[in-house]
Amino acid sequence: MDISQEPGGTGVMVIEPMGNAGRFLVEAAGRLRLRLYAATHKTIHDGYEPWLRESLAGVCFTDLSDTDRALTDMEVFCREHRVTGVAACWELLTPLAALLADRLGLPGNDPRLAAAARNKIAMAGAFRSAGVPAPRGAVVTDARHAHRVAASAGLGWPLVVKPAEQGGSWGVSVVHGPDQLDSAVAAAQRYTTARPHGLPLDSRVLLQSYVAGEEYSAETVVCDGVPYALPVVRKDTTAGRYRVETGHTCPAGLTRETTLAVQHTAARAALAVGVRNGIAHTEVKIPPGAGVPVVIETGARLPGDNICEIVEAATGVSEAVAHLRAVTGRLPDTTPTRDAAAAIRFLLPERAGLLEQVAIPDLPGTHSETYIRPGERVPEPTDSSGRIGHVVARAHTIEDARRLADRVIAGTRVKVN
Ligand SMILES: Nc1ncnc2c1ncn2[C@@H]1O[C@H](COP(=O)(O)OP(=O)(O)OP(=O)(O)O)[C@@H](O)[C@H]1O
Ligand SMILES: [Mg+2]
């Protein structure tokens, strides 16, 4: 799998590898024998775990919240280190990756459309222009504006209220009437900058019609503008006001026809936001009876939530390898080599408090991880930061993988005070 044909090998710049996809990129870079560099801030780098620090061939220290400065610093660094590909793990940094690749003349995404892969308002515009099926929506600037629009725009109830720029379901609420609008808009506008780099966020808020139905995600890897479909994953979320992802399963258990429809729609969404060389993660819902997927969002990045792990465990396809091949202008290999199943389930507390105890059973075919340790505070389970940990289950069938993961969650003891 060696793709390092250039003298001195191939180097890829990852704009902030810290985060869920980073570990899969590091592992994929090892398999492809390419050098991985990071662009980050010194203080963030100081907090990197040893395995990440040690896996990097070099680091460009810069301020990613200052686009001009970051581009200048990264351009100098990439030329000096003969970097031939650029990748981003965090959605908010994907436009920066497109701009950097463009400056360096490397394979990358369309810099004129790249903002649409970060900002859900620009994304809605890009979907409209390209005819990608998406929820109806309207943009508001404050709660009073939201009341006027909710009363007049014909979006109906429930309404989904979400920040223009965020991830991890932060600030997303499903509201059932005008009495819930003020708090939903306040939640969507709670953060003016994004952690960890302090990127300024668009303060506008999106109101969307609620799309009923099951939810799925699918990656699309694009090479020189040609999309290649990756496996479809079923997504489970909480059902109430806050839609926190509680798990993912691969394969999704859809018919061949619906699988193709999801993959086709995901590819259209990726192309609509200018993905040309790299991967996109697209989320869709399929309204009951309709059979036509509606795109909730797409991002020009690898998926989070260990989806890379469950896709590879189920199908043998490494999405991180596909991504690194695409950003270095090489054809990705998307052929499944395995016919199994895998599921991930997240452990959510019932309420906020001090985590006193967490004990996850260790069943054969499963492994687990915790992110919040006893003695630490557990936030309210309103977004992905409220997760205590996860379990991954592998099996021969979808049902067995889901059942196994559910058994582990059911047997987990969590004490929050
Ligand atoms: N228009 C909609 N109709 C129905 N459900 C929606 C809609 N928009 C969002 N949701 C639900 O809320 C969840 C979070 O919304 P969205 O994906 O837009 O935000 P996000 O913060 O980018 O999410 P994440 O990063 O967790 O994927 C979705 O996965 C979906 O379950
Ligand atoms: Mg989402």
Side-chain angles (χ1 to χ4, degrees):
M1 239 200 239
D2 195 338
I3 60 170
S4 50
Q5 292 126 357
E6 286 83 8
T10 296
V12 171
M13 165 59 84
V14 184
I15 305 180
E16 192 48 84
M18 192 261 290
N20 187 260
R23 70 169 86 166
F24 300 106
L25 272 183
V26 164
E27 198 212 324
R31 286 195 224 171
L32 296 169
R33 295 222 241 138
L34 49 77
R35 287 170 285 123
L36 220 52
Y37 297 96
T40 186
H41 195 276
K42 175 84 177 66
T43 54
I44 312 278
H45 181 261
D46 289 345
Y48 278 12
E49 289 188 44
W51 65 264
L52 178 55
R53 210 172 308 149
E54 285 154 19
S55 63
L56 298 170
V59 182
C60 169
F61 291 112
T62 188
D63 179 356
L64 296 175
S65 68
D66 178 344
T67 301
D68 290 338
R69 171 167 167 211
L71 281 174
T72 303
D73 290 347
M74 291 191 294
E75 183 181 356
V76 170
F77 184 97
C78 288
R79 290 194 191 283
E80 195 179 315
H81 293 84
R82 299 183 317 281
V83 162
T84 52
V86 178
C89 290
W90 295 57
E91 198 153 293
L92 296 177
L93 296 170
T94 56
L96 202 53
L99 291 168
L100 179 63
D102 189 51
R103 270 208 193 185
L104 293 166
L106 295 177
N109 297 337
D110 185 343
R112 291 161 306 175
L113 278 172
R118 154 181 172 151
N119 184 302
K120 291 186 168 102
I121 295 171
M123 190 183 297
F127 288 166
R128 243 187 339 269
S129 305
V132 175
R136 294 183 52 227
V139 181
V140 301
T141 49
D142 55 34
R144 270 182 53 188
H145 191 186
H147 280 280
R148 277 206 312 277
V149 168
S152 63
L155 297 172
W157 301 96
L159 260 183
V160 184
V161 180
K162 58 174 88 171
E165 298 183 317
Q166 257 308 352
S169 307
W170 286 29
V172 179
S173 315
V174 178
V175 299
H176 290 266
D179 57 315
Q180 298 175 333
L181 262 184
D182 289 6
S183 56
V185 172
Q189 292 186 315
R190 179 161 168 214
Y191 297 101
T192 54
T193 59
R195 285 196 309 211
H197 288 282
L199 259 58
L201 296 172
D202 183 345
S203 66
R204 292 176 298 167
V205 174
L206 204 52
L207 304 188
Q208 281 184 344
S209 290
Y210 181 81
V211 180
E214 298 290 333
E215 194 161 356
Y216 302 89
S217 68
E219 277 65 64
T220 310
V221 61
V222 187
C223 194
D224 293 335
V226 179
Y228 300 83
L230 289 159
V232 177
V233 172
R234 173 173 163 190
K235 180 202 286 244
D236 296 292
T237 70
T238 50
R241 175 171 180 145
Y242 305 108
R243 301 294 164 105
V244 188
E245 284 145 332
T246 53
H248 304 276
T249 310
C250 184
L254 295 170
T255 61
R256 183 171 155 70
E257 196 188 355
T258 311
T259 300
L260 290 175
V262 171
Q263 291 174 324
H264 181 73
T265 306
R268 288 183 62 200
L271 296 179
V273 300
V275 177
R276 297 287 176 269
N277 279 283
I279 207 159
H281 167 74
T282 305
E283 300 173 341
V284 304
K285 288 192 84 169
I286 306 185
V292 181
V294 176
V295 177
I296 299 297
E297 65 160 340
T298 191
R301 55 167 176 87
L302 281 165
D305 282 4
N306 284 50
I307 288 176
C308 289
E309 179 184 349
I310 65 154
V311 167
E312 185 162 12
T315 68
V317 176
S318 166
E319 298 190 317
V321 166
H323 184 39
L324 287 176
R325 290 191 66 94
V327 298
T328 50
R330 291 157 170 96
L331 274 184
D333 184 2
T334 57
T335 317
T337 54
R338 203 175 289 155
D339 183 15
I344 184 166
R345 285 275 174 280
F346 296 98
L347 197 57
L348 283 167
E350 278 174 14
R351 57 187 169 81
L354 202 68
L355 182 64
E356 284 201 346
Q357 187 203 18
V358 49
I360 306 179
D362 186 14
L363 297 189
T366 73
H367 62 268
S368 60
E369 201 181 311
T370 51
Y371 329 130
I372 302 179
R373 299 188 199 300
E376 293 176 350
R377 255 198 87 69
V378 183
E380 203 65 46
T382 55
D383 56 54
S384 59
S385 65
R387 294 167 173 168
I388 296 172
H390 72 243
V391 57
V392 172
R394 300 176 63 157
H396 292 298
T397 67
I398 300 168
E399 293 70 29
D400 285 350
R402 289 174 69 84
R403 213 175 296 130
L404 191 52
D406 288 342
R407 256 180 65 206
V408 171
I409 293 292
T412 296
R413 281 200 315 279
V414 181
K415 220 165 141 194
V416 175
N417 260 320

